[in-house]
Amino acid sequence: MTETQGSAGPRTTGDVSGRIRAFVATELLFEDPRAAESLADDSPLLTMIDSLGLTQLVAFVEEEFQVEIDDVEVTADNFRTIGDLAHLVGSKAS
């Protein structure tokens, strides 16, 4: 697995995905326990969260992994799934 640099040192892509998945489940899908429980790296994020949730997710990722996500990077390709977002974080942390 690819390593990325985060707030607690090197992280694997799986760890990045896990932290993002936990945030989405507890902070953005707290009103839908079924969706939160079934959340996977290939779950379609953009159909699960609204624009406010997307803003919260960007802020979380920037703070948690000490990366900056430019407005032009907030695209369907980068935020389609948790795996896609973890890949973006990994590419910025290298």
Side-chain angles (χ1 to χ4, degrees), residues 47-64:
T47 61
M48 296 180 171
I49 61 175
D50 58 16
S51 59
L52 178 59
L54 181 60
T55 302
Q56 290 174 296
L57 181 57
V58 169
F60 167 77
V61 167
E62 288 181 331
E63 183 175 324
E64 182 70 15

Side-chain angles (χ1 to χ4, degrees), residues 7-26:
S7 58
R11 296 174 182 258
T12 64
T13 301
D15 185 40
V16 172
S17 295
R19 300 284 300 149
I20 294 169
R21 194 170 43 255
F23 174 80
V24 171
T26 59

Side-chain angles (χ1 to χ4, degrees), residues 1-86:
M1 292 197 152
T2 307
E3 287 197 8
T4 61
Q5 192 69 25
S7 58
R11 296 174 182 258
T12 64
T13 301
D15 185 40
V16 172
S17 295
R19 300 284 300 149
I20 294 169
R21 194 170 43 255
F23 174 80
V24 171
T26 59
E27 299 297 324
L28 304 179
L29 299 178
F30 61 90
E31 292 180 347
D32 189 352
R34 274 194 193 165
E37 288 174 12
S38 65
L39 194 59
D41 284 358
D42 62 351
S43 297
L45 273 180
L46 297 177
T47 61
M48 296 180 171
I49 61 175
D50 58 16
S51 59
L52 178 59
L54 181 60
T55 302
Q56 290 174 296
L57 181 57
V58 169
F60 167 77
V61 167
E62 288 181 331
E63 183 175 324
E64 182 70 15
F65 303 109
Q66 300 174 346
V67 296
E68 185 176 330
I69 297 177
D70 296 322
D71 291 343
V72 297
E73 294 174 310
V74 181
T75 65
D77 287 342
N78 289 331
F79 284 80
R80 187 176 326 275
T81 66
I82 289 171
D84 293 334
L85 182 51

